[in-house]
Amino acid sequence: MARIKYIRDPPFIKQDDINAMRGINALELGSGNGFLSVCLMALAANQIPLREVVVTDLSDHLKLMKKTVDKNNHVYNTRTMFEPYKETDEHRDVEFGEGGIEEDLEVIIAEHKWGHFPSKGSEEDKHDDQLQTKKYDFIFGSDLAYRNSLHDILISSLLQFTHEHTLCLIGVSECSVATSMCKRKYYVN
């Protein structure tokens, strides 16, 4: 909940910047059930100009994330879900929320395996293009690096999705050299 309070009263966004922005693209890594993304959308409504929230985890979490997001459709306008890539299946479904917020906000639910980026031109790349080519303004996640083996692939995903002004708020269970490096690189005062 501390992350949610930080997002609600963001010291990293000045009022002049909010007025000038077209909107913030946010990415949640390792979402689990989608709850943190829903909290972000609810608390940011009419305060932070969110344009898009991409909620990601492994494929076995997609149904639960969809259920959580769909139960809270009053905090977004459009929800898109990308199913894991399969050559014969339809990969995308779109649903419209109740749109109880002022700005247009799209939620995208998608699979992302940390450190895995399909090669350009592959069928899998076409499916994941929306996720793979984008740079995000805000990347967040809770309880992500609970094993040392996850650090390198998490950092690889952070490097893929960040630009020089991206703010990353990543909750970890243990402190290590890898997470300290990531914090130093991406935390901007």
Side-chain angles (χ1 to χ4, degrees), residues 26 37 40-41 50-55 105-108 140:
S37 287
L40 170 68
M41 290 182 282
L50 284 175
R51 177 179 31 199
E52 177 180 83
V53 176
V54 179
V55 188
L105 173 58
E106 181 175 9
V107 179
I108 296 171
F140 62 104

Side-chain angles (χ1 to χ4, degrees), residues 15-178:
Q15 189 59 45
D16 291 340
D17 293 338
I18 289 175
N19 296 335
M21 279 186 203
R22 294 178 333 170
I24 294 171
N25 292 322
L27 170 67
E28 182 179 10
L29 295 173
S31 178
N33 64 10
F35 179 70
L36 192 56
S37 287
V38 168
C39 289
L40 170 68
M41 290 182 282
L43 292 173
N46 303 318
Q47 293 181 16
I48 298 173
L50 284 175
R51 177 179 31 199
E52 177 180 83
V53 176
V54 179
V55 188
T56 67
D57 208 320
L58 298 175
S59 62
D60 58 335
H61 290 84
L62 292 177
K63 285 183 182 179
L64 181 56
M65 293 180 337
K66 179 183 181 292
K67 184 176 180 179
T68 301
V69 168
D70 286 352
K71 290 281 185 187
N72 293 280
N73 66 358
H74 60 284
V75 298
Y76 63 88
N77 297 94
T78 308
R79 192 261 307 140
T80 304
M81 181 160 171
F82 288 96
E83 297 290 340
Y85 176 75
K86 293 179 189 147
E87 288 200 31
T88 58
D89 292 347
E90 179 60 33
H91 307 299
R92 180 178 182 189
D93 84 15
V94 177
E95 186 173 294
F96 293 93
E98 295 177 9
I101 55 175
E102 283 184 28
E103 301 295 322
D104 291 335
L105 173 58
E106 181 175 9
V107 179
I108 296 171
I109 300 169
E111 176 183 29
H112 173 61
K113 297 174 189 173
W114 300 346
H116 176 77
F117 309 103
S119 59
K120 293 287 180 198
S122 70
E123 286 300 316
E124 190 178 356
D125 175 57
K126 290 176 188 169
H127 166 256
D128 291 335
D129 191 51
Q130 174 115 17
L131 177 69
Q132 303 298 335
T133 60
K134 200 167 258 184
K135 301 293 183 187
Y136 296 89
D137 305 306
F138 179 55
I139 299 176
F140 62 104
S142 181
D143 198 26
L144 297 183
Y146 49 86
R147 279 190 228 126
N148 286 338
S149 63
L150 298 174
H151 295 164
D152 288 341
I153 57 176
L154 174 59
I155 290 171
S156 177
S157 287
L158 290 170
L159 291 172
Q160 174 74 17
F161 298 129
T162 57
H163 53 72
E164 66 182 62
H165 298 292
T166 299
L167 175 69
C168 297
L169 292 178
I170 305 296
V172 296
S173 297
E174 64 179 51
C175 186
S176 71
V177 173

